[in-house]
């Protein structure tokens, strides 16, 4: 991560955000837990059911998994839009260049021609062709304001966020509490499995309980913080 | 924090470590919890009882609380030693200059003439006059290798660390699970209270249960991760 700061891809405060994620990843044992697998499966189903899916990429997401995120977008026919938290024209250009170089694919976001309602900063900026027209948006490592605004704008939101208590995690329709690269690999695997099976996709989505998954992820963190004895059995809801 | 990276005080990976701390601070409610107050009181007692106390300062500690740490050292007659995690001669000089400028006091660590046994890197370097001669060492935001080596070298170790599961937290004799600036303010307050009362200091130290405090801090984190109901009562041991 830190070498990508000097390239202008990751903001310095992005490193602090990355550290916050590391702490939560440590608390889930640095591996994909069963409730996260369920969320990844639901994310795959929703992306495959979408009419106009969009995958957004910010600086940290680009640094950690640009290639994997674009690969996922290709698999589900999603557009890719670069959308930064700490925005400057120069950083937008650098992150777009970086993602295009890493993935060999063109991305949206260089010129933003739309405003997402409900955000009073330049973080409201996005593209008409991408985020504004999307029915389903995958937001890896996104801030709470934008996550809430996307939900209010009527979009189905899939978040990838290691903090199960964050506003982003609570606002999203599907919250994958997993490290970004592991999460994307998990979603890609589920896309492969569900591609030819619309009935399975619909069943997964109608049974999916995001609040239950979040509660179960918190339970895993509590358990790693010393709750209960070795023989303690937890009921994993989803 | 991030502006101090450009001054060479904080390493870029120090920002990631700071983020990890922020996540744990979030889980304790971003305030000094009762078990942390107890640990701060015990830290004050131990520093006042010490014959040759030393306060160490690394880049992150300098950035967050250089003045407060040196003020504490002055109050208990401790030496101050700069001791970096990511060491280079230039950073040593810069952090020493920074702490001296902020605090108006000379610090040890510019020229390191001793090796702490048990560490196979230049992080073993320290000074004869400071860390090597100390009976009590306060280590804010320290790594696990050095914390364990200090304990093995027979020193009483006071750690300030927001992660109650870290090797540093587990190795130390007294672990203050609190944000650095709040922790130092708490210890300074307790020093004022205990300065003239050796009997109270001895009583505090003989009753102090570090493992109990760590368990209670983990209980608070579990509670903030959704354990129990609003009416749930927790038994705080220390």
């Amino acid at each position: 991560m830190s070498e990508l700061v000097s390239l202008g891809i990751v903001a310095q405060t992005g490193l602090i955000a990355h550290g916050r994620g590391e702490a939560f990843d440590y608390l889930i044992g640095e591996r994909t837990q069963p409730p996260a697998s369920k969320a990844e499966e639901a994310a795959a189903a929703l992306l495959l059911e979408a009419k106009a899916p969009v995958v957004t990429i910010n600086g940290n997401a680009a640094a950690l998994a640009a290639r994997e995120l674009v690969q996922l977008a290709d698999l589900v026919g999603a557009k890719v839009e670069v959308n930064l938290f700490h925005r400057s024209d120069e950083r937008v250009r650098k992150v777009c260049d970086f993602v295009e170089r890493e993935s060999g694919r063109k991305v949206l976001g260089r010129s933003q021609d739309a405003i997402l309602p409900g955000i009073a900063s330049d973080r409201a900026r996005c593209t008409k062709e991408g985020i504004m027209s999307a029915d389903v948006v995958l937001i890896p490592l996104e801030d709470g304001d934008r996550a809430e605004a996307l939900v209010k704008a009527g979009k189905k939101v899939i978040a990838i966020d290691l903090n199960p208590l964050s506003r982003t995690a609570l606002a999203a329709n599907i919250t994958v509490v997993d490290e970004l690269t592991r999460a994307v690999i998990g979603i890609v695997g589920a896309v492969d499995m569900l591609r030819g099976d619309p009935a399975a996709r619909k069943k997964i989505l109608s049974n999916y309980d995001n609040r239950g998954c979040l509660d179960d992820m918190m339970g895993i963190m509590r358990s790693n913080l010393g709750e209960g004895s070795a023989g303690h059995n937890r009921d994993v809801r989803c």
Side-chain angles (χ1 to χ4, degrees), chain A residues 29 37 45 50 53 78-79 81 88 96 117 141 150 161 169 171-172 196 208 220 222 226:
Chain A
S37 287
K79 288 175 176 148
E81 178 164 340
S88 73
C96 287
L141 320 178
L150 287 166
D161 193 321
Y208 181 71
I220 288 164
R222 288 199 300 273

Side-chain angles (χ1 to χ4, degrees), chain A residues 76-155:
Chain A
V76 298
K79 288 175 176 148
V80 174
E81 178 164 340
V82 166
N83 203 1
L84 304 183
F85 185 74
H86 294 286
R87 193 195 180 287
S88 73
D89 288 339
E90 197 199 347
R91 268 198 81 219
V92 169
R93 186 179 51 72
K94 280 185 174 173
V95 176
C96 287
D97 287 351
F98 179 81
V99 176
E100 290 179 348
R101 207 166 51 235
E102 287 286 307
S103 68
R105 177 173 152 173
K106 285 279 163 205
V107 300
L108 298 170
R110 274 177 210 275
S111 80
Q112 297 170 309
D113 53 3
I115 296 286
L116 189 67
I119 302 176
S121 75
D122 64 4
R123 292 209 280 277
R125 296 169 66 165
C126 62
T127 74
K128 243 183 245 175
E129 189 189 342
I131 288 173
M132 277 311 264
S133 309
D135 58 346
V136 172
V137 188
L138 171 69
I139 49 170
L141 320 178
E142 187 54 274
D143 81 297
D145 285 345
R146 207 143 55 188
E148 288 171 357
L150 287 166
V151 171
K152 273 193 196 135
K155 297 167 195 317

Side-chain angles (χ1 to χ4, degrees), chain A residues 117 156 175 232:
Chain A
K156 296 267 183 195
T175 307
H232 181 67

